[in-house]
Amino acid sequence: MLGLHDSLSVLASGNIALVKQSSQDQKLIPHVLEKLTEIEPGFAEQIIFTERLQNFDAVIATGSNNTSRYFEHYFGKVPHIIRKNRNSVAVITGRETSKMLYHLGHDIFDYFGLGCRNVSKLYVPENYDFKHFFEGIEAFKPIADHHKYNNNYDYNKSIYLVNGDHHLDNGFLLLKKDERLSSPLAVLYYEEYNDLLSLENKLTALTDSIQCIATASRMNVPNQQVEFGQSQKPKLWDYADGVNTLDFLLSL
C-alpha cells in the first residue's frame, strides 16, 4: 500500500490520479480508494487505474535505485518526484531502558523489516554490550514461527557460519558488523561510533540514503528523527525523502 499517501496528496490537491499499480500490490490500493470514495463520492471522478501511463502532466514514482534510472529516462521531461532506495537506522547510546528497546523492536520487525522506514542498521557506542538489546527485543521471538522469515534467518546464518563471518545470534535475529545500510531479511547490521558529533557527520553524509532515524537523543542531522517505536507511524505531513508532495502538486 506504498502509494496511498501519494494518492491522497493527488486527490487533496484537486488533481486526477492516474494509478499504475505495482505487480505486488494489486488489491490494497483499489480497496482503500474504494472505501475513500464511499466517504467522499466526488473523489471517484479523480481516480483512474491504468496499465499504461499516458497523457499525464506530472509523475510521482517509487522504485529501486535501478528502476529509478528508467523512471528518469521515461519521465524526466515532465515535473516529477522519483524516489530511490532508502533505509532507516537507529542510534543507541547505551542508556536505553528495556521498554525503549522493546519499542525499537517494532521499528525493526514490523512488516518483517521490509519497509524503507524499518530500521535495518544500528549505530552503537564502542564496546556496547548487546545482551541488554537482545533482552529488550525478546518479545518478538514469535516472528521466527513465520516460515518465510525463518528460512531467511537459517539461510543467512548458514552463509555467515560457512564464511566464518563474525556475527551475533539470539535465535531469531542475526547482528553483523557492516558499514552498509541495507541488511538482508532477519539480519540487522551494526556499526560502532566514538562520539555523537562524529556520528552526526557520518549520518549527514548519508542523508540521501536514510529515510528516518530512530533515537532517544536529539541529533543535528537533516533526516527525520523519531522516538523508538514510531518509525512506522508517520503522520500525513511526514513526507517521504523529506520532499513535500503537496507543495509539488500545488506548484504544477
Side-chain angles (χ1 to χ4, degrees):
M1 206 160 58
L2 183 64
L4 178 60
H5 188 273
D6 290 331
S7 300
L8 294 175
S9 298
V10 171
L11 296 176
S13 64
N15 287 285
I16 294 174
L18 298 175
V19 182
K20 186 179 188 305
Q21 297 169 251
S22 164
S23 60
Q24 298 180 6
D25 191 5
Q26 296 288 317
K27 304 291 185 182
L28 289 175
I29 291 291
H31 176 72
V32 172
L33 292 182
E34 180 183 343
K35 292 298 181 183
L36 183 63
T37 57
E38 291 177 7
I39 298 170
E40 177 46 71
F43 281 146
E45 298 179 359
Q46 291 177 246
I47 302 170
I48 301 173
F49 288 94
T50 181
E51 287 297 318
R52 183 177 179 83
L53 291 173
Q54 54 189 357
N55 300 322
F56 50 83
D57 300 304
V59 169
I60 301 173
T62 299
S64 66
N65 290 346
N66 186 45
T67 57
S68 69
R69 293 196 291 268
Y70 294 96
F71 291 155
E72 291 281 1
H73 174 73
Y74 287 112
F75 306 134
K77 294 182 180 179
V78 299
H80 59 266
I81 295 176
I82 295 177
R83 304 194 186 99
K84 304 177 183 179
N85 283 348
R86 291 212 181 201
N87 292 92
S88 295
V89 303
V91 175
I92 286 180
T93 65
R95 298 187 298 271
E96 290 79 12
T97 64
S98 296
K99 185 176 182 180
M100 293 167 67
L101 293 174
Y102 165 75
H103 289 313
L104 174 58
H106 280 289
D107 300 326
I108 297 168
F109 295 107
D110 284 1
Y111 311 110
F112 298 96
L114 294 172
C116 68
R117 296 184 67 89
N118 281 108
V119 167
S120 59
K121 180 170 184 175
L122 299 179
Y123 287 93
V124 300
E126 284 187 329
N127 301 315
Y128 177 71
D129 184 358
F130 281 98
K131 179 182 178 182
H132 188 44
F133 169 76
F134 280 137
E135 290 173 348
I137 65 169
E138 182 65 22
F140 294 89
K141 185 177 181 179
I143 196 171
D145 295 333
H146 191 286
H147 69 281
K148 288 187 177 181
Y149 179 92
N150 199 53
N151 285 345
N152 280 271
Y153 166 80
D154 287 339
Y155 171 79
N156 288 304
K157 181 176 180 177
S158 298
I159 294 294
Y160 295 157
L161 290 173
V162 169
N163 292 338
D165 293 332
H166 175 70
H167 63 280
L168 303 173
D169 180 7
N170 72 341
F172 61 92
L173 179 68
L174 303 166
L175 260 65
K176 182 176 183 295
K177 193 173 184 179
D178 201 300
E179 292 188 354
R180 292 172 292 178
L181 294 178
S182 181
S183 57
L185 190 66
V187 177
L188 191 63
Y189 287 155
Y190 73 91
E191 190 173 338
E192 296 178 332
Y193 65 88
N194 293 316
D195 58 84
L196 285 177
L197 180 59
S198 61
L199 178 58
E200 287 176 347
N201 293 333
K202 174 170 284 191
L203 294 176
T204 297
L206 294 170
T207 294
D208 291 342
S209 299
I210 294 175
Q211 190 64 261
C212 64
I213 300 171
T215 178
S217 302
R218 191 66 188 172
M219 305 184 71
N220 184 25
V221 292
N223 297 96
Q224 181 195 11
Q225 298 173 58
V226 298
E227 296 180 359
F228 293 140
Q230 297 299 308
S231 72
Q232 287 292 354
K233 299 178 181 179
K235 307 295 189 297
L236 281 173
W237 47 88
D238 290 333
Y239 296 100
D241 299 3
V243 177
N244 190 313
T245 315
L246 210 53
D247 281 350
F248 165 77
L249 291 163
L250 294 174
S251 70
L252 298 175

